[in-house]
Amino acid sequence: MHATSYALTDSWTMTRRELARWARQPVPVVVNLVFPVMLLLMFGYLVGGGRGVSGAYVDYLVPGMLALTMAFGLEGTMIAVTRDLDKGVVDRFRSLPMTNGAVLVGRCAADMLQSAAGLAVLIAVGYALGWRAHGGPGAFLGAVGLLLLFRFAMLWVGIHLALVAGKPEMVQAVQILVWPVGFLSNAFATPDAMPGWLGTLVGWNPMSHTATAVRDLFGGPGGEAGHVWAAVGWPLALVAVFFPLAVRRFARLSR
């Protein structure tokens, strides 16, 4: 019990450290909130799209953008982790009587708070554009839960990759891997409107499962109830793999 209490206290201390950084450096936070809104407006009004979509495209696009937002933005997490590594901040924390991994948990908790704020902003913009959730309050909360679960999994993938990269200048090379995951999905168009091989790849993308399940819970076009289990299973599998990898990598630093 004492070990759990210390772990929670140390993790909350590291979370407050990240939140204090928001107050000192608000520009990156604002950019992370505004960038998804710009993408939503661009694809909704400038690029168009919606191939194979039945019904209003905004009802298809907004849930896809919500899922895409949960996949993107990892560069902020990765840069923060690698910056602390490069400046020796992590080494100083490791010299303190602190629970192993509390730095990583604090980083993840702070980013989850920012992700929740980003979802709220994007949902508000979606409502302003005419999108509506038709599935009821319970389904709405379930959809938000799936989105945050996917984000939680992606954050641990990003934290592990940051620990592997080690330096901020390496983040750009690593974050390129995030873009195929985001755009090789059904965020903007249905797999049925794509070439067969491409539609198959899109169908296997974990983000596509989340987007499809969220569309179903929101009661919009392109939703399929059968994808809810995959939208839960894929993130849990990613967390099961990358959380211990990140903690183990962190524990082995400076050895």
Side-chain angles (χ1 to χ4, degrees), residues 91-178:
D91 290 334
R92 291 196 290 272
F93 283 140
R94 283 168 52 81
S95 67
L96 299 174
M98 182 182 297
T99 304
N100 188 35
V103 175
L104 304 183
V105 174
R107 175 74 252 176
C108 184
D111 284 351
M112 285 298 295
L113 290 174
Q114 184 173 352
S115 300
L119 274 182
V121 170
L122 202 57
I123 287 173
V125 174
Y127 264 78
L129 296 179
W131 169 79
R132 294 294 183 271
H134 305 285
F140 182 91
L141 293 177
V144 171
L146 288 180
L147 290 166
L148 291 176
L149 177 62
F150 181 64
R151 178 61 169 178
F152 184 72
M154 292 299 293
L155 282 175
W156 282 109
V157 173
I159 288 172
H160 175 67
L161 293 177
L163 293 173
V164 172
K167 292 186 177 296
E169 55 267 24
M170 294 294 296
V171 170
Q172 186 173 7
V174 176
Q175 76 181 47
I176 292 175
L177 301 174
V178 178

